Amino acid sequence: MTTDDAQSILKDLTELEFPKIMGFSIIFALFKTYGIPSVSSLLVATGELATPEAASKRVTDTGVLLLEFALNPPSSERTIQAIARMNYLHGLYQKAGKIKHSDMLYTLSLFALEPSRWVQRYEWRSMTELELCACGTFWKAMGDAMLIPYDVLPSQKEGWRDGLHWLKEVEEWSLAYEKAYMVPSESNKQLADSELDILFINLSARLMSTGKQIVTVLLEDRLRKAIMYPEAPLALSITVKGALKIRRLLLRYFVLPRLEIMRKKYIPSERNPKTGRYNSVEYLSFPWYVKPSFKSRWGPKAWITRLLRRKLPGDDGNKYCPDGFTYTEVGPKSLAGRGIAEMDDTQIRLHGQKRGGCPFR
């Protein structure tokens, strides 16, 4: 299977087949890294959690780059620029010895593994072997592009047969890594609290507490203990899991397949013609990079946002960058416009490779 084939399969799964659960799985894959103290302590130390706006921008920037290189063709300029920016931002900490190769591989493994796990738990069907092979093929290629070493995997020397083979070895390593390093830490809890405070911003204390309890229902016990959260009340756990089972049954037996016109759009197909930048399509708490429009300010979702006393696209002038983003600006404000030479080097390297081919040959 080629990387082009794998990306096309995953794009359909994300936008058409399982749009809700695939989206949540990536969010929770990121959240799962917060259970590793070496990861959480670094993120806390960056100071990017100082304010809700700063913390939300960090999450948004991570999501922007992930969506750009996951939902655009592997050899496209958008994918290559997104990878180049991600490599530059990570490289600063890798050179300083603050990010370990094992933490990078673990994070990569979650992006490869969590979508199929969430689909198996909550969707109307599990992924097929072809789709699982696509997960392994795509994320193996992404790891190559990000220069993540696979020396801890058994078949590193002789190579892997296909995406399924690579995915199996990554899963075995990832589970062992979690068992050894996903342990309780104050930095884990601080980071988890910060992210959930953003998600449930402006809710009353009681509703925020309930929201966090709902999240814990969806977490594995090891992760829940690592972020030092108590177990959710039994009644709430039964209610949440029951609702998800009902959704799964309804989708399986009473809902027709989604038509092409129902495809979920996570990223814009083109630049904003007025600004030459890319706009985000959706947002969680703060409207970073979202273009103001009649729908985004006065549509049904906008009225819910107003009731929750949250920000809308266009609020507070240019504070949330409504004109959109360029790749060289994504990341901490202190690094905006920096790293262009390093990004150019990465782009030259990636252009020299067969980005859309099979990563196992």
Side-chain angles (χ1 to χ4, degrees), residues 120-121 203 213 217 228 263 289 295 305 312 317 332 359 361:
Q120 183 174 16
R121 288 188 208 121
L203 295 184
Q213 289 176 341
V217 172
M228 304 170 70
R263 181 181 287 271
Y289 310 130
K295 182 179 179 181
T305 302
L312 290 165
R361 293 179 181 176

Side-chain angles (χ1 to χ4, degrees), residues 309-326:
R309 295 177 291 113
R310 295 184 177 183
K311 299 295 183 180
L312 290 165
D315 283 356
D316 298 341
N318 293 321
K319 183 175 182 179
Y320 302 107
C321 308
D323 286 342
F325 65 86
T326 63

Side-chain angles (χ1 to χ4, degrees), residues 25-297:
S25 72
I26 294 300
I27 292 172
F28 275 85
L30 281 171
F31 192 84
K32 199 169 183 177
T33 64
Y34 302 164
I36 306 295
S38 58
V39 175
S40 64
S41 60
L42 173 61
L43 292 173
V44 170
T46 63
E48 293 177 34
L49 308 180
T51 66
E53 287 90 349
S56 70
K57 186 177 186 299
R58 188 193 66 78
V59 174
T60 299
D61 286 341
T62 301
V64 160
L65 295 178
L66 282 171
L67 290 173
E68 284 292 304
F69 67 63
L71 298 180
N72 285 300
S75 56
S76 70
E77 282 299 318
R78 289 174 68 171
T79 291
I80 289 174
Q81 288 188 56
I83 293 173
R85 189 61 180 174
M86 183 79 78
N87 284 5
Y88 167 69
L89 294 174
H90 285 158
L92 296 174
Y93 296 102
Q94 288 175 307
K95 291 175 183 177
K98 296 180 179 180
I99 295 181
K100 298 182 295 183
H101 289 317
S102 56
D103 289 339
M104 292 287 289
L105 180 57
Y106 177 66
T107 303
L108 183 78
S109 76
L110 295 181
F111 292 137
L113 295 165
E114 286 300 303
S116 63
R117 291 168 174 171
W118 275 67
V119 166
Q120 183 174 16
R121 288 188 208 121
Y122 304 122
E123 273 295 351
W124 63 275
R125 69 169 178 86
S126 298
M127 285 191 188
T128 65
E129 279 199 351
L130 178 69
E131 291 161 348
L132 290 171
C133 186
C135 290
T137 301
F138 178 80
W139 287 105
K140 161 63 166 64
M142 288 302 104
D144 289 340
M146 298 174 70
L147 301 178
I148 297 176
Y150 299 129
D151 54 298
V152 294
L153 301 184
S155 299
Q156 163 63 19
K157 291 184 178 180
E158 61 268 30
W160 298 270
R161 294 185 300 274
D162 52 29
L164 286 174
H165 185 197
W166 181 85
L167 197 66
K168 181 180 178 182
E169 289 195 0
V170 164
E171 182 170 31
E172 291 173 353
W173 176 86
S174 181
L175 291 173
Y177 186 81
E178 284 180 10
K179 188 174 181 180
Y181 296 104
M182 187 175 281
V183 295
S185 167
E186 282 296 332
S187 62
N188 296 353
K189 186 177 188 304
Q190 184 178 350
L191 187 58
D193 283 341
S194 173
E195 300 302 322
L196 294 183
D197 286 347
I198 295 170
L199 182 62
F200 301 120
I201 194 169
N202 289 344
L203 295 184
S204 66
R206 184 172 182 178
L207 287 176
M208 182 175 288
S209 176
T210 301
K212 289 184 177 181
Q213 289 176 341
I214 291 173
V215 169
T216 62
V217 172
L218 304 176
L219 302 180
E220 298 160 4
D221 278 346
R222 180 178 284 120
L223 174 58
R224 179 184 59 77
K225 292 175 181 177
I227 62 174
M228 304 170 70
Y229 274 33
E231 194 170 357
L234 179 61
L236 181 64
S237 179
I238 292 173
T239 300
V240 172
K241 292 179 179 178
L244 289 169
K245 287 181 179 178
I246 291 172
R247 175 188 180 273
R248 181 171 60 188
L249 292 172
L250 289 174
L251 287 176
R252 183 174 180 83
Y253 296 109
F254 298 101
V255 177
L256 295 173
R258 291 180 179 86
L259 301 175
E260 181 64 28
I261 59 172
M262 300 171 66
R263 181 181 287 271
K264 174 79 171 175
K265 295 295 184 183
Y266 284 99
I267 59 174
S269 57
E270 302 290 343
R271 296 176 187 268
N272 184 325
K274 293 183 178 180
T275 65
R277 297 164 172 263
Y278 292 106
N279 289 103
S280 293
V281 176
E282 292 187 338
Y283 65 98
L284 288 176
S285 300
F286 293 91
W288 292 103
Y289 310 130
V290 180
K291 178 184 176 182
S293 66
F294 182 84
K295 182 179 179 181
S296 68
R297 291 191 61 81

Side-chain angles (χ1 to χ4, degrees), residues 1-11 74 134 137-138 356-357:
M1 180 182 292
T2 68
T3 308
D4 280 338
D5 292 334
Q7 189 273 337
S8 180
I9 291 169
L10 295 183
K11 181 180 175 71
T137 301
F138 178 80

